[in-house]
Amino acid sequence: MEWLVGRCPPFLTPVFILTRYPRETLKFTNGTSFHFVDTAPGDALRMAQEAAGGLDVRIDGGPSTVNEFLRADLIDFLHLAIVPMLVGSGVQIWDQLLGMEDRFETESIGTGGGLTHQLWNR
């Protein structure tokens, strides 16, 4: 994994990675640890919240991961960076999320080059 995160990853906290292929936890000297779990999003979130000791946790991932957490109603704040291009066939982040916009207040901020930031907040 060093090829991906280097010898000293910058997180300084436990990181929980949803995977279909659990493996042993990787621990680094700076406090970063990677826990590979094959579980439901709600269970992974509970693990992260327990490890955070009451502090906020962050969910990172691609559209499929974000969609899973949104469908389970586990996200309070969402920051989307939207780039106007399609790579391959793309993945639909909004599949099966009809009415989600009613649960959030949204703000869109346009920047140069067509990049748009959308902020979804409860």
Side-chain angles (χ1 to χ4, degrees):
M1 185 123 186
E2 186 174 310
W3 60 270
L4 180 61
V5 297
R7 290 176 189 235
C8 198
F11 306 111
L12 311 176
T13 62
V15 176
F16 294 84
I17 300 169
L18 288 175
T19 179
R20 289 183 181 89
Y21 308 101
R23 54 198 288 184
E24 289 189 34
T25 296
L26 293 176
K27 294 183 180 183
F28 295 84
T29 58
N30 69 353
T32 300
S33 57
F34 291 99
H35 305 270
F36 302 89
V37 297
D38 180 12
T39 189
D43 294 335
L45 179 59
R46 279 188 285 284
M47 288 178 207
Q49 288 170 327
E50 184 177 306
L55 298 175
D56 288 342
V57 299
R58 178 182 217 153
I59 298 168
D60 288 321
S64 298
T65 299
V66 173
N67 181 283
E68 280 189 74
F69 278 85
L70 285 169
R71 277 189 285 127
D73 200 25
L74 298 173
I75 293 179
D76 293 325
F77 176 79
L78 175 66
H79 176 190
L80 288 177
I82 302 168
V83 179
M85 72 175 180
L86 182 64
V87 178
S89 61
V91 174
Q92 300 283 331
I93 193 171
W94 305 119
D95 280 355
Q96 303 172 2
L97 292 173
L98 187 63
M100 189 196 79
E101 66 278 3
D102 296 334
R103 300 188 323 235
F104 293 87
E105 292 183 22
T106 60
E107 178 181 1
S108 291
I109 304 164
T111 61
L115 175 65
T116 301
H117 294 274
Q118 282 191 346
L119 308 174
W120 297 66
N121 199 6
R122 287 197 194 248

